[in-house]
Amino acid sequence: MQSSYMKIFGNLFFNVEKNNEVKDIIEQASSVLDSIIVKFGEVENEMTMGTSRIDDFVDIVIILFVRKIMEQLDSINVLYSVCLFEPAQIILRSLIENIVGLEFILKDDTQKRAAAYYLEHHYQELDMCERWLNENSKFGTLITVQNGKDEFDNVYKALEKKRQSLERVIKSKVIFQETDIARKEKLDAKKKVGKKKKKVYIQWYEVCSNIKSFYGLMKETGYEKYYDSVYGGLSFESHGLNAMMAISVDEDGGSLKCVRNPEDGGSTFGFACNFSIGVLHKIYQYLGDGENEIAEFKAFFEDFVEKRDWVNYKLDMIRNTSGKGAI
């Protein structure tokens, strides 16, 4: 079903359904993304069903990463289906963060790193609740004013239950206890060198390594060269700094690009494929597949790369002239 705004402002939006040549390229791109999502799905099934299990706890963390990567590739696929290439950059940036994080976990000290990542969600949730539910905070004051002190006390009791729940989780595994101790030591060390009144934060990867930034994480996983050129560049879309990119200037003057502009889709598609196939290979290495599985992945990889390169080339060749307005 076509949205009303697509009918009313047909001159502003590029409609891929009305351009068979572009539609064919988009369908090819979807087919390539489909194939890599299927591979991740096969890994998820194998690990979930127990046919490829190494360590139950670590495997759960990997499975959750795999599912998130599948979700983000699916999101990029959906956005590409209607030529929303620029919004897909936001998803790509998050996809890269997940892939780099997973590769860091798989590279070394896997159980320790998985534990640091797993517990971080609980720490962040508790920290957020403590900031919100402080009697002196704006949120805490609002609850008290609107609903009374009893309601605030009830909400605070829920916070206490969350804190107790985290304590039980930490006590459930030795690796969690070791991680909690390491995290507290790193936080204490930061507090000693930081400003006294300033809140001290720590990233999950700092707990299990000497890495202190996402740049360091990308360097550790071999993606250092992509930090500025790719990851940094994607921040323009994420932080709302690229609205001016909608202006196209040539020898005839300036014009506005159409919404759902079908140009420049190759880079986001290519990097999504490259990072995804890379981490998929690392997962297979972790699982220790045999010769048959290695041969199967090699055949898939060669076919995937050939199709990816062809689609990349076709996406970069798209030059749209419809839907532009002179300025």
Side-chain angles (χ1 to χ4, degrees):
M1 180 183 295
Q2 190 180 54
S3 301
S4 60
Y5 57 81
M6 290 285 288
K7 297 177 182 178
I8 298 169
F9 303 107
N11 62 315
L12 298 182
F13 287 81
F14 175 80
N15 189 345
V16 69
E17 295 297 327
K18 294 182 178 181
N19 189 310
N20 290 333
E21 185 178 357
V22 174
K23 184 179 180 181
D24 180 62
I25 297 171
I26 295 302
E27 288 176 349
Q28 291 179 53
S30 179
S31 178
V32 174
L33 292 171
D34 177 270
S35 67
I36 192 73
I37 294 171
V38 167
K39 282 297 178 183
F40 278 109
E42 290 174 354
V43 167
E44 197 270 352
N45 277 345
E46 289 177 13
M47 297 183 74
T48 302
M49 296 170 65
T51 56
S52 296
R53 299 300 286 266
I54 305 298
D55 179 298
D56 283 344
F57 159 65
V58 174
D59 288 350
I60 288 172
V61 174
I62 294 173
I63 287 168
L64 294 175
F65 264 109
V66 167
R67 289 173 66 88
K68 177 54 68 174
I69 290 169
M70 290 175 67
E71 178 184 66
Q72 291 174 322
L73 286 172
D74 177 52
S75 299
I76 291 173
N77 198 10
V78 171
L79 289 171
Y80 261 60
S81 69
V82 290
C83 295
L84 282 168
F85 297 158
E86 288 191 1
Q89 293 175 11
I90 299 174
I91 309 298
L92 175 61
R93 196 170 197 262
S94 181
L95 174 68
I96 290 173
E97 291 174 347
N98 278 305
I99 287 174
V100 170
L102 177 54
E103 288 203 21
F104 174 71
I105 291 171
L106 293 172
K107 184 177 180 180
D108 197 12
D109 291 330
T110 301
Q111 192 178 60
K112 184 187 297 184
R113 293 177 178 184
Y117 181 85
Y118 178 84
L119 288 177
E120 184 60 24
H121 168 75
H122 297 282
Y123 291 130
Q124 293 284 357
E125 187 178 43
L126 184 60
D127 182 65
M128 187 178 296
C129 289
E130 287 176 340
R131 283 187 283 117
W132 284 357
L133 299 179
N134 185 304
E135 251 184 310
N136 298 320
S137 70
K138 291 181 179 179
F139 188 69
T141 302
L142 183 64
I143 293 176
T144 304
V145 171
Q146 290 187 345
N147 303 301
K149 186 67 167 58
D150 289 343
E151 180 62 22
F152 176 84
D153 290 341
N154 290 333
V155 174
Y156 197 81
K157 286 178 183 178
L159 171 61
E160 284 300 312
K161 289 182 179 179
K162 174 61 185 175
R163 186 180 288 111
Q164 293 167 9
S165 175
L166 176 57
E167 290 175 357
R168 288 194 295 270
V169 169
I170 292 170
K171 290 178 181 178
S172 67
K173 289 182 180 293
V174 174
I175 189 65
F176 289 167
Q177 296 168 29
E178 294 173 348
T179 301
D180 188 58
I181 292 171
R183 186 176 187 273
K184 288 175 180 175
E185 289 175 349
K186 289 285 180 82
L187 278 171
D188 288 341
K190 274 196 168 187
K191 289 176 182 177
K192 289 180 181 179
V193 299
K195 296 179 180 179
K196 291 183 179 180
K197 293 184 178 181
K198 190 175 181 180
K199 176 72 175 178
V200 176
Y201 295 95
I202 189 171
Q203 299 289 347
W204 67 272
Y205 45 79
E206 293 183 68
V207 177
C208 49
S209 72
N210 293 320
I211 298 171
K212 294 180 172 58
S213 66
F214 190 70
Y215 169 77
L217 202 63
M218 291 192 76
K219 183 177 181 180
E220 175 69 15
T221 51
Y223 291 116
E224 179 182 6
K225 64 181 179 180
Y226 296 114
Y227 182 79
D228 289 324
S229 60
V230 179
Y231 182 75
L234 293 171
S235 66
F236 285 97
E237 178 69 21
S238 301
H239 301 316
L241 297 174
N242 65 344
M244 296 303 296
M245 296 295 289
I247 297 177
S248 178
V249 180
D250 54 30
E251 63 274 10
D252 298 323
S255 62
L256 295 176
K257 297 178 181 178
C258 58
V259 182
R260 299 189 180 183
N261 177 36
E263 299 176 349
D264 304 320
S267 59
T268 298
F269 169 81
F271 285 121
C273 290
N274 294 348
F275 277 89
S276 298
I277 195 70
V279 74
L280 185 62
H281 184 219
K282 295 295 192 329
I283 295 171
Y284 281 135
Q285 289 179 324
Y286 166 78
L287 295 175
D289 286 342
E291 292 183 4
N292 291 337
E293 288 82 2
I294 293 172
E296 181 183 342
F297 178 75
K298 183 180 179 181
F300 168 77
F301 177 81
E302 291 173 351
D303 180 65
F304 178 83
V305 168
E306 182 179 348
K307 291 177 179 176
R308 176 207 64 194
D309 290 347
W310 173 248
V311 171
N312 235 347
Y313 168 76
K314 298 293 284 184
L315 284 168
D316 286 339
M317 291 300 291
I318 295 175
R319 291 294 179 267
N320 175 57
T321 57
S322 64
K324 292 186 178 181
I327 57 173

